Amino acid sequence: MSLLLNGVNQCISSMGSLEVQELLGKKDDLIRDLEEKLKVRENEITELRSQLDKFQSVIPFATVGPTPGSPKGRARKTRAQGISAEPQTLKTVQELADLSQTTFPEVPKTQR
């Protein structure tokens, strides 16, 4: 039985079981480290998207130019609306997903 390790085929039978376990342990550690880095980056992306949404809700993308029918050629100004909300973190999104799957018992109107 051959095992593909770092692009090189090596025969397991030629390697001792301790060597294989050590190699697999190193790979597991590397996988855990990379998963932690991925989790940190995903959290950063979620936070940055939240901040971007907040800024985009306050700052208008483009100003409206003068319209031909407007008095004295003045441009109509648009006002940006600010939205105040808690940042959506991965934890709150997961809680909302869990809550949406929760079923509540039905109570007849006469018993309320």
Side-chain angles (χ1 to χ4, degrees), residues 30-108:
L30 178 62
I31 289 171
R32 269 187 244 116
D33 290 341
L34 292 174
E35 285 175 342
E36 287 177 19
K37 287 180 182 179
L38 179 63
K39 189 174 183 179
V40 167
R41 287 188 180 161
E42 286 175 347
N43 289 340
E44 287 177 7
I45 289 170
T46 303
E47 179 65 28
L48 289 172
R49 282 186 179 153
S50 176
Q51 289 179 9
L52 178 63
D53 290 342
K54 181 176 73 173
F55 292 136
Q56 285 178 342
S57 70
V58 175
I59 299 172
F61 288 109
T63 57
V64 178
T67 59
S70 63
K72 297 185 183 179
R74 284 190 269 171
R76 178 178 276 173
K77 293 184 180 181
T78 58
R79 202 171 263 239
Q81 270 188 326
I83 299 172
S84 175
E86 294 182 19
Q88 290 185 346
T89 61
L90 183 59
K91 181 180 177 185
T92 58
V93 171
Q94 288 173 343
E95 289 173 356
L96 290 174
D98 292 342
L99 186 61
S100 68
Q101 295 175 356
T102 305
T103 57
F104 297 100
E106 290 187 27
V107 179

Side-chain angles (χ1 to χ4, degrees), residues 5-48:
L5 300 173
N6 295 330
V8 178
N9 279 325
Q10 296 181 357
C11 189
I12 291 181
S13 61
S14 67
M15 298 176 69
S17 64
L18 290 176
E19 291 172 339
V20 172
Q21 288 177 352
E22 182 179 321
L23 188 59
L24 290 175
K26 287 180 182 179
K27 287 195 173 260
D28 287 341
D29 291 341
L30 178 62
I31 289 171
R32 269 187 244 116
D33 290 341
L34 292 174
E35 285 175 342
E36 287 177 19
K37 287 180 182 179
L38 179 63
K39 189 174 183 179
V40 167
R41 287 188 180 161
E42 286 175 347
N43 289 340
E44 287 177 7
I45 289 170
T46 303
E47 179 65 28
L48 289 172

